[in-house]
Amino acid sequence: MLAVIWMLQPASVLAAALHATLIRADPAEGSLSKTSVTTVRLLFSEPVQPLGQTITLLSPTGQQSAHGAVKITGNQVEMSIDVHQPGSYLVNWQVLSQDSQPVNGSYIFSLQRVAGPWANTTAQDQPGGLSAVLQTLAHVIHFVGYALAFGVLAFLWLVVGSLDTPDDDIIEQRLFRLVHIGILALLLAEPLNLLAQALALTNGQGLNLDSIGGLLATSFGWLFSLRLGAALLLWSVVGAIQQGAKRGIQFACGLGIVLALIDSIGSHALGSSSLWLSLLAHIGHLVGMGLWLGGLSGLIVLWNVQALSSQRTALLLRFGHLSATAVAELFISGILLSWLHVARLANLFTTFYGRIVLTKICLFLLILSTIVVLMRAKKYSSRDWWIIEAIALTGVLILAGLLISLSPPLPQN
């Protein structure tokens, strides 16, 4: 599904949707100035942060030109320069989006005449390509890991914990296996995301240790370390739970809410006019999806356990309560997020971001409609249907991962 969407979307449109984009430059791309230029000024689609050597200017001889300090004010970046030599100049820029995602690009301008090694260079913004695919994949792996780690633990606590089961060892062994897979996914997602961002800064030309070091020194690196720390802490807590510290499961679920907060800080929430409402909606959306997919995964692996054969009805009923809460949470938070980020109803149909949101909503409603039909036909208590439901929910996560990798439509003035 993701591949189909990706292939149907023109690469230029996809590239323009990736986080902060350059709206205007002064001197303009391809411009020919008759007088000396003293300032490079860049205007972006959203507030940005510095990243490494934010702006570099290469002269017609290929050498770096003299320049002053970079000044950033909201969505505007400027740097004083000393340009007197006739010829073409290459401007390379790299910044951090408001959601801590790096973007970069380059363009040329000329003084008095078009000449030098950059004369035939064309403007280049951060491409979709491999880095965008890896970034989306990293987000999807993170979401799946969150569901399998924290969602399954919540299922163990809120659903299985209330049952009188004669053989807890087999039950816990199966559920903790899922939890460990989830933790592994959380740990894997972070270096994959770092790789994606590092490749983006080099336009897919290979890894650069300076770029990686620059990324880790920014707010991206801060969020990177917090996510890794949360996953490693969860690993320790789960080990303690398996050794008999049963109260640790409540702490682990609380840690899941903290990780959801960390994720919301690294999402589009910071760019919203209603910051706290957006943060709460992002947290609720991730927690709701984690509860639904994690609980469903737990139900699938436990359904054939002989020790639970006499309590399957109670198990299904309690899971129904958990999933209904998760669905309500997803619905409310999804409406809020759409309202906050899509801006106008027309953007659902006219922008790539909006079409992904619309596809996600349709898939979500299709899953709910199918569940309702199966429940009315009394066919929902089938492990095969749950597996199909889990696959469909994974499709929703793929769309969510793609949305995190894109910028919402710009508000219309």
Side-chain angles (χ1 to χ4, degrees):
M1 177 171 57
L2 176 60
V4 172
I5 294 172
W6 213 271
M7 288 186 291
L8 289 177
Q9 187 63 26
S12 58
V13 177
L14 179 59
L18 290 168
H19 307 291
T21 54
L22 182 63
I23 296 177
R24 188 168 64 251
D26 182 23
E29 189 273 324
S31 63
L32 180 63
S33 178
K34 299 299 183 182
T35 59
S36 62
V37 180
T38 59
T39 304
V40 169
R41 186 175 292 108
L42 307 176
L43 185 67
F44 292 91
S45 59
E46 62 183 62
V48 295
Q49 307 168 51
L51 175 59
Q53 199 167 356
T54 303
I55 298 177
T56 58
L57 179 66
L58 300 180
S59 71
T61 62
Q63 302 298 313
Q64 186 165 326
S65 297
H67 60 80
V70 173
K71 180 181 178 183
I72 297 181
T73 306
N75 64 339
Q76 181 173 289
V77 181
E78 63 178 63
M79 183 181 75
S80 59
I81 58 176
D82 185 17
V83 170
H84 297 288
Q85 182 180 0
S88 299
Y89 290 78
L90 176 66
V91 179
N92 294 314
W93 57 264
Q94 57 181 30
V95 294
L96 212 62
S97 294
Q98 200 168 26
D99 56 0
S100 299
Q101 303 299 322
V103 290
N104 70 322
S106 62
Y107 75 94
I108 66 162
F109 69 90
S110 301
L111 178 63
Q112 296 180 9
R113 65 173 183 267
V114 177
W118 324 120
N120 297 319
T121 302
T122 56
Q124 183 177 27
D125 289 336
Q126 177 176 332
L130 177 61
S131 61
V133 173
L134 289 177
Q135 184 181 339
T136 301
L137 179 61
H139 290 315
V140 173
I141 292 174
H142 178 81
F143 291 151
V144 172
Y146 185 94
L148 292 181
F150 296 105
V152 172
L153 284 172
F155 175 80
L156 175 60
W157 176 28
L158 300 173
V159 176
V160 178
S162 60
L163 299 176
D164 183 18
T165 54
D167 194 349
D168 289 340
D169 289 341
I170 296 178
I171 294 171
E172 291 187 356
Q173 182 181 5
R174 291 197 175 192
L175 292 180
F176 279 121
R177 189 178 300 148
L178 285 179
V179 172
H180 282 112
I181 293 174
I183 295 173
L184 182 62
L186 289 173
L187 292 171
L188 175 63
E190 294 314 305
L192 184 59
N193 193 23
L194 177 61
L195 173 64
Q197 305 301 351
L199 286 174
L201 290 180
T202 59
N203 293 320
Q205 299 302 311
L207 290 178
N208 185 307
L209 293 181
D210 290 337
S211 297
I212 294 176
L215 281 170
L216 293 177
T218 65
S219 57
F220 172 87
W222 177 65
L223 292 171
F224 173 87
S225 62
L226 287 177
R227 290 192 184 104
L228 275 183
L232 292 171
L233 179 57
L234 176 62
W235 195 2
S236 300
V237 172
V238 168
I241 295 172
Q242 290 183 287
Q243 294 299 318
K246 298 302 181 183
R247 288 201 167 191
I249 193 168
Q250 289 94 330
F251 177 83
C253 291
L255 181 61
I257 297 176
V258 173
L259 182 56
L261 173 60
I262 295 170
D263 284 344
S264 67
I265 293 173
S267 68
H268 303 309
L270 297 184
S272 172
S273 57
S274 303
L275 176 60
W276 288 106
L277 182 60
S278 185
L279 284 172
L280 289 173
H282 275 88
I283 293 171
H285 211 61
L286 182 55
V287 170
M289 179 54 72
L291 289 175
W292 190 2
L293 181 56
L296 184 63
S297 301
L299 184 66
I300 291 171
V301 300
L302 291 186
W303 193 247
N304 292 332
V305 173
Q306 191 62 33
L308 285 173
S309 58
S310 62
Q311 300 194 61
R312 286 178 178 170
T313 301
L315 178 67
L316 189 57
L317 180 62
R318 284 174 171 80
F319 167 72
H321 294 158
L322 179 68
S323 60
T325 302
V327 168
E329 199 172 338
L330 280 169
F331 181 78
I332 295 172
S333 60
I335 293 295
L336 283 174
L337 289 174
S338 298
W339 173 64
L340 289 168
H341 297 317
V342 176
R344 297 187 309 150
L345 184 61
N347 287 335
L348 285 173
F349 307 95
T350 59
T351 67
F352 186 39
Y353 185 95
R355 290 194 289 271
I356 297 298
V357 170
L358 191 60
T359 303
K360 184 183 172 189
I361 292 172
C362 291
L363 182 56
F364 176 76
L365 294 177
L366 177 62
I367 294 172
L368 287 185
S369 301
T370 303
I371 291 173
V372 170
V373 170
L374 291 173
M375 290 180 70
R376 288 184 175 179
K378 297 182 179 181
K379 295 181 179 180
Y380 184 65
S381 56
S382 167
R383 190 169 179 268
D384 292 338
W385 281 116
W386 297 334
I387 293 174
I388 295 174
E389 181 181 339
I391 293 172
L393 286 177
T394 303
V396 174
L397 289 186
I398 292 174
L399 295 173
L402 182 54
L403 286 175
I404 293 293
S405 302
L406 301 174
S407 285
L410 295 176
Q412 300 293 318
N413 295 325

